[in-house]
Amino acid sequence: MKHARKYILAAACCGLITLCFNCDLFTGPHNGGGSDTTSHAWTFEVDTLGDGASQLYDVAIVSINPPLVYAVGSIFLKDSTGQWSSPPYCVAIWDGQSWSLRHLYYKGTDYQGNPYILPLIEIKGIWVTGSSDIWLTPGSIFRWNGKDSLTNLSFSRLSLPDPTATINTLWGSSTTSLYGVGTGGSIVHFDGNEWQGIASGTTLDIRDIWGSPDGNQILAVASNDEGSKLLSIQRTTVTTVSDSGLGSSLYGVWFVPNQKYYAVGAGIFWKNRLTDPVWNTYAPGVVTSYVSNGIRGNDTSDVFVSGDAFEIVHYNGRSWHNYSDVIPPSYGAVGRTAVKGNLMITVGLADQKAIAIVGKRN
C-alpha cells in the first residue's frame, strides 16, 4: 500500500502568532454561543492514501479509546508490476497509528435466482451505530457487521423505494430511525423494518443531514446550480426553513437544538434559534477564504469547519482560529468531518490521492 504521512504541529495562538498570522479572530460568543472552554491547540497529521483517482468521501469515529475510525471512498493502488488494483478499496480503517485498506463484497441473486458476489466500488456515505453495525451508501444502502473477511462479510442489501435514487449521505438517531439523502432531492427513511421514500419538495441535490440525538429536530441542506434550500424533516414530512441571509451554495449543516445552528458552503452562516428571521454570516476572508464543505462539533464551543484548499477552522466559544498557519493552502479539498472528544478527522482528495487529516487536541 502506498502511504505517505506528514506531521504538522498546531499550537494555540499566542499574541505573537496572532500578530504574524492573524490566525485568531475574536468574534464573541454569538449571543449564547458558549464560553471559551476549548483551546485552539491541536496537532494535525495529513495522510495520503492510494494512487490516481483516489478519494475519500465520508468518515465516522466509532471510538476514541481505543481509536477506531472508518473512512469511505474509492482508493486505487498499483501492485508491484504497476497494475491497478481491481476492485479498488472502499474502506480505510484507522487504529490510532496507521490506516489499513479493505475491500468489501456483498452477496445477491439475479432475476433468475442465481447467486453472485460483487464488490462495493465507491462508497459515498457512512453512519455507524456501533463497531459491528455500520451503514454504507454507494448509491443504494448496505448494512455491514464490521468483519473483514473477503469471502465472509455479512451484508444485508436493503431495497430502496425508488431503485434509481442515489443516496450519498446518512444520518440516524437509532437503528430504527435512519435517513438517507442524495441527488435530485432524494430522501429515504428506515423505521427498523423497511425503507420509505419521502417527498422533499425539491429537486436540488441534498448534500448533508444532521439531527438532534432524540431525532426530534432534523435539518438537511440542498444545493446545486439552481440555488440552495434548508429543509426540516419531521419523520416523513419535509418543510422549507427560512433561508434569508443564506448563501447560494450550501454543503454542510450542524446544530445543537435551541443553542446554535450552522450551515456552511459559500460562507459560514449561523443562528441562535431556528426561528430567528435572518441567518448571520461573516464577511469573505474574515474566518474563511475558500468554500466550506463540512461542519461538525462536540458542542457549541468546539466546532470544526473544513473546506477547499485544506482550509480548517475551529470555534471555541469566543473566537475562530484558521489553521492555515500550520496547514498551508493546497490544491485539493476536504469536506465531510467527524469530531469526537479530542479527535477530529476530515477527508477529501488532492492531486489524485485520497486525503485524511487527523487532528488531536494537545
Side-chain angles (χ1 to χ4, degrees):
M1 177 177 68
K2 188 174 182 179
H3 185 146
R5 173 168 296 165
K6 182 178 181 181
Y7 291 92
I8 304 176
L9 178 64
C13 276
C14 62
L16 177 60
I17 297 177
T18 302
L19 289 173
C20 293
F21 297 100
N22 192 29
C23 55
D24 252 12
L25 168 70
F26 178 77
T27 58
H30 296 335
N31 299 321
S35 59
D36 185 358
T37 58
T38 63
S39 77
H40 295 307
W42 285 73
T43 298
F44 292 92
E45 166 188 322
V46 181
D47 292 339
T48 60
L49 302 168
D51 296 297
S54 296
Q55 181 171 359
L56 291 174
Y57 294 99
D58 202 358
V59 60
I61 300 174
V62 181
S63 64
I64 56 177
N65 188 23
L68 178 60
V69 174
Y70 291 96
V72 295
S74 187
I75 304 168
F76 294 86
L77 294 177
K78 290 182 177 180
D79 61 23
S80 58
T81 67
Q83 300 298 310
W84 292 104
S85 58
S86 181
Y89 296 89
C90 59
V91 176
I93 303 174
W94 188 70
D95 62 4
Q97 299 295 323
S98 61
W99 293 91
S100 59
L101 302 182
R102 304 294 170 89
H103 294 108
L104 296 184
Y105 296 82
Y106 68 93
K107 298 178 181 179
T109 56
D110 62 21
Y111 68 97
Q112 293 180 329
N114 300 314
Y116 61 77
I117 298 177
L118 292 176
L120 298 184
I121 302 298
E122 183 177 62
I123 300 176
K124 293 292 186 70
I126 181 171
W127 185 257
V128 174
T129 60
S131 59
S132 60
D133 192 22
I134 302 156
W135 302 73
L136 305 168
T137 175
S140 55
I141 298 174
F142 294 81
R143 196 173 184 177
W144 178 38
N145 68 359
K147 294 180 180 179
D148 57 12
S149 170
L150 297 180
T151 59
N152 194 30
L153 286 173
S154 177
F155 276 91
S156 176
R157 187 166 190 175
L158 305 171
S159 298
L160 296 176
D162 180 0
T164 66
T166 300
I167 303 301
N168 297 327
T169 308
L170 301 169
W171 179 88
S173 58
S174 69
T175 57
T176 59
S177 186
L178 184 75
Y179 291 85
V181 298
T183 59
S186 301
I187 303 178
V188 293
H189 176 254
F190 181 65
D191 63 5
N193 294 305
E194 62 181 2
W195 288 92
Q196 177 182 358
I198 300 175
S200 66
T202 183
T203 58
L204 299 174
D205 296 335
I206 303 179
R207 307 286 188 170
D208 194 19
I209 180 173
W210 184 259
S212 58
D214 58 10
N216 288 336
Q217 192 170 61
I218 303 169
L219 297 178
V221 289
S223 181
N224 61 20
D225 293 341
E226 298 176 1
S228 62
K229 283 187 177 182
L230 181 67
L231 306 175
S232 174
I233 305 172
Q234 294 291 327
R235 194 65 179 180
T236 59
T237 301
V238 179
T239 56
T240 301
V241 178
S242 172
D243 59 0
S244 179
L246 285 177
S248 58
S249 298
L250 296 176
Y251 299 113
V253 62
W254 180 86
F255 64 90
V256 175
N258 302 314
Q259 294 186 46
K260 184 63 63 63
Y261 296 83
Y262 285 104
V264 299
I268 298 175
F269 309 92
W270 57 272
K271 285 184 175 183
N272 294 315
R273 298 289 185 272
L274 195 59
T275 54
D276 292 346
V278 179
W279 288 83
N280 304 284
T281 190
Y282 304 99
V286 172
V287 176
T288 56
S289 300
Y290 303 94
V291 172
S292 298
N293 300 314
I295 178 169
R296 291 294 184 262
N298 282 310
D299 56 44
T300 58
S301 59
D302 198 9
V303 182
F304 277 95
V305 176
S306 56
D308 288 359
F310 290 4
E311 186 170 57
I312 297 175
V313 298
H314 177 246
Y315 183 67
N316 69 351
R318 291 185 61 82
S319 65
W320 287 96
H321 178 86
N322 191 313
Y323 292 100
S324 59
D325 55 324
V326 292
I327 307 178
S330 177
Y331 181 76
V334 286
R336 299 279 180 81
T337 299
V339 181
K340 191 170 188 176
N342 296 326
L343 180 66
M344 71 81 65
I345 299 183
T346 184
V347 296
L349 79 163
D351 193 26
Q352 297 289 300
K353 298 181 186 298
I355 296 293
I357 299 180
V358 179
K360 301 175 184 178
R361 199 188 314 269
N362 292 345

